[in-house]
Amino acid sequence: MPAASTEASAPVAGALEPEAPSPLPEPLSPGQPAYRRMSLALFAAGVAAFALLYSTQALLPAVSADFGVTASAASWTVSAATGALALFVLPLSALSERFGRRTLMTVSLTVAVVLGLLVPLAPSLESLVALRALQGAALAGVPAAAMAYLAEEVRPRALIAAIGLFVAGNSIGGMSGRIVTGWAAQFGGWRVGLAAVGVLALIAAVAFRVLLPRPRRFTPAPVSPKALATTVRGHLANPLLRRLYAIGALFMTVFGAVYTMIGYRLTEEPFGLPPGVVGSVFLVYLVGTVSSGSAGKLVERLGRRGALYLAVVTTAAGLLLSLSTSLSAVLLGLVLITAGFFAGHAVASSAVSRTATTGRAQASALYQSSYYIGSSVGGTLGAIAFHSGGWAGTVALGLLAVTGVVSLTAYGSWAARVAARRGLVVATGGR
């Protein structure tokens, strides 16, 4: 009888044992259909987000003329959007942990596109700046979730290439938005230009939603302000992550200053270019598409620090060349600035994703926040520098920023050597 009782109870005990969690699917690799769909979807998301984010940048001279304001005042239509994005990217990254990367990106793009169709109706500069700030806050969900999505779904060896393609979509979006607004504004005014980029973003957002595969390796987590603060403190305590955040901000300071003020530079003498032609100048963004996509190969050949040094030298050379009064020299300078910036950005952002082993969404969000603070600061300070010293003032600001990148990268090399020596001393018992 006791034996029978034991046998009868055995299955019950087994049933009460917790089931082993099912293993996560293998991450995606290049060549797989789902990887291609994911790449195209995030490329489309980058196009939509960055076409909207910088939609007023090529139109600043026209906005200044229509509202009768200075370049510094008009530049707030760009800085408000990038500044709001910087503020909201971290809290939205926390929401992506709870509701999912795909859901957050979809909602963010939907709200941003709706606002993009309302922006052309703004009756005053103040209302335009307010709408642009709301748009920037909505767009924060895209970079907040995209990097974490890639880090979860893609094999580590393919991560730099995948992030490079997303950054390439950013560059295509920034370029196409400026070209579309420039030519549309030349024939119908800046409001028509903004409406045209809103339609472009709508098409790209629909393509994103249709193409993006459902996440296979995402595990929802509760939103906890305390846990978020702990994760953020942990990332900010990491010296390498702090340097990468600062490098992203400094690179974007250069880029924000140059591209916020280049429209004024090219519409004034000795160039006097019309809005459509100024918008077409942003075709140099194609160079950024190539340089960001090749960032992985640069890192393989030169190492992360070597790739950053090459990006700095390229950017600085472009800044100096842009001082010329020759249009061809200025355009070549923009090519070099763009190539250097996008290469540096792709290297730094992918290094963040690889360095953070936990809380990747927050690590990427902190990078994005620093990055867009750099854009906002660069646009504002670039306008001030342009007013006080002309284009040479803007270039001086850019050179100061790239000097900061060199200093941080060199310090990182020195710190690594010191840590290696200390490790050797410990390993050999101080001998």
Side-chain angles (χ1 to χ4, degrees):
M1 206 44 137
S5 175
T6 303
E7 288 176 4
S9 63
V12 177
L16 293 177
E17 292 178 1
E19 293 185 7
S22 58
L24 292 174
E26 287 295 315
L28 298 175
S29 298
Q32 294 178 316
Y35 181 92
R36 288 193 292 268
R37 286 183 57 205
M38 176 207 68
S39 299
L40 289 173
L42 290 178
F43 182 88
V47 169
F50 285 81
L52 291 172
L53 185 63
Y54 293 104
S55 57
T56 61
Q57 201 167 57
L59 303 175
L60 292 180
V63 172
S64 290
D66 190 22
F67 289 125
V69 298
T70 64
S72 296
S75 71
W76 277 103
T77 63
V78 179
S79 296
T82 54
L85 191 154
L87 290 175
F88 279 85
V89 69
L90 184 58
L92 288 183
S93 75
L95 290 181
S96 81
E97 299 282 5
R98 172 66 181 85
F99 298 104
R101 326 299 187 192
R102 187 172 182 253
T103 299
L104 180 64
M105 287 188 281
T106 300
V107 173
S108 294
L109 282 177
T110 301
V111 174
V113 167
V114 170
L115 289 169
L117 297 174
L118 294 176
V119 162
L121 306 177
S124 64
L125 179 64
E126 292 76 15
S127 59
L128 177 59
V129 170
L131 285 171
R132 292 282 294 145
L134 291 173
Q135 195 172 45
L139 287 170
V142 177
M147 297 296 187
Y149 179 95
L150 289 171
E152 289 167 349
E153 302 293 327
V154 177
R155 288 189 182 278
R157 289 186 177 181
L159 183 59
I160 293 180
I163 288 178
L165 190 58
F166 173 63
V167 173
N170 299 349
S171 68
I172 291 291
M175 177 197 73
S176 58
R178 290 163 170 97
I179 292 174
V180 167
T181 55
W183 281 106
Q186 183 164 330
F187 295 105
W190 65 268
R191 295 180 187 275
V192 173
L194 290 179
V197 84
V199 173
L200 170 67
L202 174 61
I203 295 170
V206 170
F208 158 79
R209 190 62 179 82
V210 170
L211 289 170
L212 189 67
R214 289 185 177 276
R216 306 180 311 147
R217 295 170 56 83
F218 170 73
T219 303
V223 178
S224 168
K226 184 178 179 180
L228 176 62
T230 300
T231 302
V232 168
R233 281 197 301 269
H235 291 326
L236 292 178
N238 186 317
L240 175 55
L241 286 177
R242 286 202 304 268
R243 288 195 296 272
L244 291 170
Y245 297 152
I247 286 170
L250 289 169
F251 265 123
M252 196 54 170
T253 297
V254 180
F255 202 66
V258 167
Y259 276 98
T260 297
M261 301 315 300
I262 193 62
Y264 293 96
R265 161 87 160 146
L266 295 178
T267 54
E268 294 178 355
E269 295 300 328
F271 306 115
L273 301 180
V277 177
V278 171
S280 297
V281 166
F282 291 95
L283 279 167
V284 299
Y285 262 53
L286 290 172
V287 177
T289 304
V290 175
S291 66
S292 59
S294 61
K297 293 181 180 178
L298 279 179
V299 172
E300 288 177 5
R301 293 180 181 178
L302 305 175
R304 187 179 66 244
R305 295 188 183 95
L308 286 174
Y309 283 132
L310 179 60
V312 164
V313 169
T314 304
T315 303
L319 286 167
L320 294 173
L321 195 56
S322 72
L323 291 168
S324 174
T325 55
S326 164
L327 181 59
S328 58
V330 172
L331 294 179
L332 179 57
L334 287 177
V335 167
L336 294 177
I337 292 167
T338 305
F341 162 74
F342 275 105
H345 168 43
V347 171
S349 60
S350 61
V352 168
S353 295
R354 296 189 67 176
T355 300
T357 55
T358 60
R360 281 174 169 162
Q362 286 72 44
S364 295
L366 284 169
Y367 176 83
Q368 297 292 334
S369 182
S370 302
Y371 177 80
Y372 288 107
I373 287 172
S375 176
S376 186
V377 168
T380 301
L381 293 184
I384 294 172
F386 185 80
H387 277 299
S388 61
W391 184 250
T394 303
V395 168
L397 174 66
L399 291 174
L400 182 63
V402 295
T403 301
V405 174
V406 170
S407 301
L408 287 168
T409 307
Y411 175 79
S413 300
W414 174 81
R417 288 195 297 270
V418 170
R421 286 196 207 102
R422 287 176 179 170
L424 182 61
V425 169
V426 171
T428 58
R431 293 189 296 273

